[in-house]
Amino acid sequence: MTFRVSSFLLGLPLLLSACATAPRYQPPAVSTPTAWQNAVPADTAGSRIPSAAETRAKAPVASPRFGGQAPPVQAVAPARSATDSSGTNAPAQPQQLPQAPPETAWWTVFNDPVLAQLEEQALAQNFTARAALARVEQARARLQVADSYRTPDVTLNPSAYRTQLSGLRPVPFDVPARAITQTQYFVPVNVSYEVDVWGRIRRNIQAARADAAAAEADVQAVRLSLTADAATYYFNLRGLDAELAVLDSARLARVQNVQLTHARYQAGVDNEIGYRRAQTELATLEASLLELARQRAGVAAALATVVGQPASSFALPSKGGTELPAAPAIPPALPAALLARRPDLRRAERQLAAANARADAAHLARRPTVQLNGFIGSQSAALAKLPQLANGFTYYLGGGVAIPIFNGGRLRGNEQLAQAQYQEFEAQYRGAALTAFQDVETALANLRLSTAQLAAQQRALRAARLAGRLTNVRYRSGLTNYFEVVDADRQTLEAARALAQTQAAQLRYNVLLVRALGGSWQ
């Protein structure tokens, strides 16, 4: 009869735990645009620039409450549901965003071997990426710790002691007491096990598993950020090199102007003002060269840190010339589903799933817990008789239920804390989604408008060079003064520098679009 009762007590918690139901967690609904507002090919010829009215027409219509019309929404299942009031719900794997594709070498679209080498160095040597990998190992270790609570704790606790009872101790009968000496050797195997009746332990395992997935997504986010930063710094350097080449070419022209104005001044053809103005323009341009060299040194130092090298030993020679690599072609239509690949969104969603599981676990912690324990082992007064197991072993098997009655509000406070943390992560997840849409729209707008801007600047540079040649001919013919030459040369220099800056900016905008779309637009 005792065996049957014990079997019933052992099976009852397992029967209760089998009555659990799933918590039905799903990510919160997020508004997803059906089309990108700025994904419109620009007029590359630059013959037509969108008017202010057209630009305003493409903007969303303001609403009285939110300040903007919400884009079309794709149906997404509701957010986390609270734990069933009956408490009989078991864990299910939380639904998460679609599986992220493997990382790709997105920088190969630029066809630049130097950039490809820098990206490989950044991924292999950057210490931020190594720290992210270490966080993944930490998360996996915490998952192992959480999973260990599903199994019994088994310990071997050998002990030996010798005691003596006092001869003056009180005895129940009127019999003289004697001092008694006892020796005991005990080698028990202790077993303790908490039965996860309500699913609290499994919720904690769910949370740890979601944390591990968030850490893995964080690694992808860090690697994407590193590669994007390396490409951005690299194109910054190439843009500065192109500007330096423009200024260096202009410097040679300024030196010739100084020589020409000086010769004309010595010959009495022109006054001293033109000569001094030419010197001023030359000195100003040399100061601009030094300023660009200073900026280049700072960008090179930043790139060295990204690729994991000391800035003092890093050098990236200039390619020379004013030509920059052409920007890659962007598909005219980019599906909004690409945002699901953004690792920062996946990280935020997995953090939200972990907070959801912890909120359920905190709620279930307020319910009774069932603990089974026991021991078995050899016990003897003589060490040599310990191996005699026929009559020399002792065992105990039992269990108990711990019912929370009063703890000063600690368990309720823990539940409220977990729920507030869930609300925090939910807000962060929704905010990250909005930021993702902002990043894509900004990158697309930059690419769309900078294409027309580049075409306009090319026309401006051609016109400025023609005007400069005509002004020089007039000056040498004595038909105008040197101030017009200075003005024409300055306009040509500004147009050439603006063109180089826009070309470099276009390359950086492509990198921003790659970052915004989670690593690729394919």
Side-chain angles (χ1 to χ4, degrees):
M1 183 65 182
T2 303
F3 175 76
R4 293 180 179 176
V5 172
S6 300
S7 300
F8 175 75
L9 292 176
L10 290 174
L12 180 60
L14 300 177
L15 180 62
L16 291 175
S17 63
C19 299
T21 57
R24 296 186 180 90
Y25 162 79
Q26 288 182 344
V30 176
S31 299
T32 303
T34 57
W36 299 110
Q37 178 181 339
N38 288 286
V40 179
D43 185 1
T44 55
S47 59
R48 182 176 181 276
I49 305 299
S51 64
E54 292 173 334
T55 303
R56 288 193 299 269
K58 292 181 179 179
V61 180
S63 66
R65 182 176 180 182
F66 297 103
Q69 183 177 2
V73 179
Q74 291 182 352
V76 181
R80 125 179 154 84
S81 59
T83 305
D84 183 24
S85 59
S86 62
T88 57
N89 47 357
Q93 289 299 327
Q95 179 180 346
Q96 55 189 101
L97 296 178
Q99 184 64 31
E103 292 179 318
T104 59
W106 56 264
W107 50 87
T108 56
V109 299
F110 295 99
N111 296 319
D112 193 322
V114 178
L115 174 61
Q117 182 180 4
L118 291 172
E119 297 289 6
E120 293 175 359
Q121 293 178 1
L123 292 176
Q125 302 177 12
N126 186 270
F127 292 101
T128 303
R130 296 183 183 182
L133 290 174
R135 289 193 293 270
V136 171
E137 296 301 323
Q138 296 174 26
R140 290 174 179 173
R142 285 192 289 268
L143 174 58
Q144 183 178 359
V145 171
D147 191 65
S148 67
Y149 288 97
R150 294 195 304 175
T151 59
D153 287 339
V154 181
T155 59
L156 180 65
N157 302 92
S159 62
Y161 63 89
R162 182 180 180 86
T163 63
Q164 176 175 315
L165 299 178
S166 171
L168 302 178
R169 69 184 184 279
V171 294
F173 305 103
D174 190 12
V175 178
R178 295 183 303 167
I180 300 176
T181 301
Q182 293 180 342
T183 302
Q184 177 173 296
Y185 300 93
F186 190 26
V187 186
V189 176
N190 294 326
V191 180
S192 62
Y193 176 64
E194 180 182 347
V195 182
D196 193 19
V197 177
W198 315 115
R200 177 180 55 84
I201 295 177
R202 284 166 287 177
R203 297 297 193 282
N204 289 329
I205 296 173
Q206 255 184 25
R209 185 175 292 111
D211 283 336
E216 294 173 358
D218 181 65
V219 171
Q220 295 181 356
V222 169
R223 290 168 65 88
L224 176 60
S225 178
L226 286 176
T227 54
D229 288 344
T232 300
Y233 290 138
Y234 175 76
F235 290 132
N236 274 339
L237 285 177
R238 291 308 181 213
L240 291 172
D241 289 339
E243 279 196 76
L244 286 170
V246 169
L247 289 178
D248 191 61
S249 177
R251 179 181 177 278
L252 297 178
R254 297 293 192 276
V255 171
Q256 294 176 358
N257 288 344
V258 170
Q259 295 172 352
L260 175 62
T261 54
H262 184 261
R264 291 172 63 88
Y265 169 62
Q266 291 292 332
V269 178
D270 204 350
N271 55 34
E272 187 180 359
I273 297 177
Y275 170 59
R276 298 305 177 188
R277 188 63 180 270
Q279 287 183 322
T280 301
E281 293 296 318
L282 176 60
T284 302
L285 191 145
E286 289 175 343
S288 299
L289 278 169
L290 294 174
E291 170 62 20
L292 287 183
R294 182 193 66 80
Q295 295 179 15
R296 191 187 193 281
V299 176
L303 179 58
T305 302
V306 170
V307 300
Q309 295 186 17
S312 301
S313 59
F314 178 80
L316 185 65
S318 173
K319 285 187 175 181
T322 60
E323 294 296 328
L324 290 172
I330 306 297
L334 295 173
L338 291 177
L339 286 179
R341 304 188 310 181
R342 279 183 59 128
D344 58 337
L345 280 182
R346 302 183 64 82
R347 175 183 58 197
E349 189 277 327
R350 289 290 83 198
Q351 291 174 342
L352 179 62
N356 171 77
R358 289 195 178 92
D360 284 341
H363 175 76
L364 297 174
R366 301 175 60 186
R367 301 184 178 180
T369 59
V370 178
Q371 188 81 24
L372 303 178
N373 51 68
F375 65 84
I376 184 172
S378 179
Q379 184 178 23
S380 174
L383 182 61
K385 295 182 179 180
L386 278 178
Q388 299 178 8
L389 300 180
N391 296 316
F393 72 91
T394 303
Y395 77 90
Y396 162 79
L397 179 62
V401 178
I403 304 175
I405 296 178
F406 177 77
N407 47 51
R410 181 176 65 253
L411 296 180
R412 180 182 295 274
N414 287 335
E415 181 181 5
Q416 293 173 349
L417 173 62
Q419 291 175 350
Q421 290 174 341
Y422 174 83
Q423 295 171 358
E424 175 189 2
F425 282 112
E426 181 183 11
Q428 291 178 355
Y429 174 69
R430 294 180 183 273
L434 292 179
T435 302
F437 301 144
Q438 171 191 341
D439 293 343
V440 176
E441 288 289 358
T442 301
L444 289 174
N446 289 336
L447 287 171
R448 181 174 64 88
L449 297 176
S450 64
T451 302
Q453 179 184 6
L454 182 63
Q457 288 172 343
Q458 289 172 342
R459 298 197 313 274
L461 180 58
R462 288 193 296 268
R465 285 173 175 172
L466 179 59
R469 287 194 295 267
L470 295 176
T471 304
N472 272 302
V473 171
R474 289 174 55 84
Y475 175 69
R476 291 175 183 272
S477 302
L479 300 177
T480 186
N481 55 35
Y482 188 71
F483 292 100
E484 292 190 9
V485 176
V486 170
D487 184 65
D489 289 345
R490 186 176 297 172
Q491 289 181 355
T492 302
L493 178 61
E494 291 177 354
R497 292 188 65 180
L499 180 62
Q501 292 170 358
T502 303
Q503 289 175 333
Q506 268 199 321
L507 295 172
R508 294 195 300 270
Y509 296 153
N510 279 271
V511 175
L512 290 178
L513 180 60
V514 169
R515 186 201 294 255
L517 293 175
S520 175
W521 52 66
Q522 301 298 330

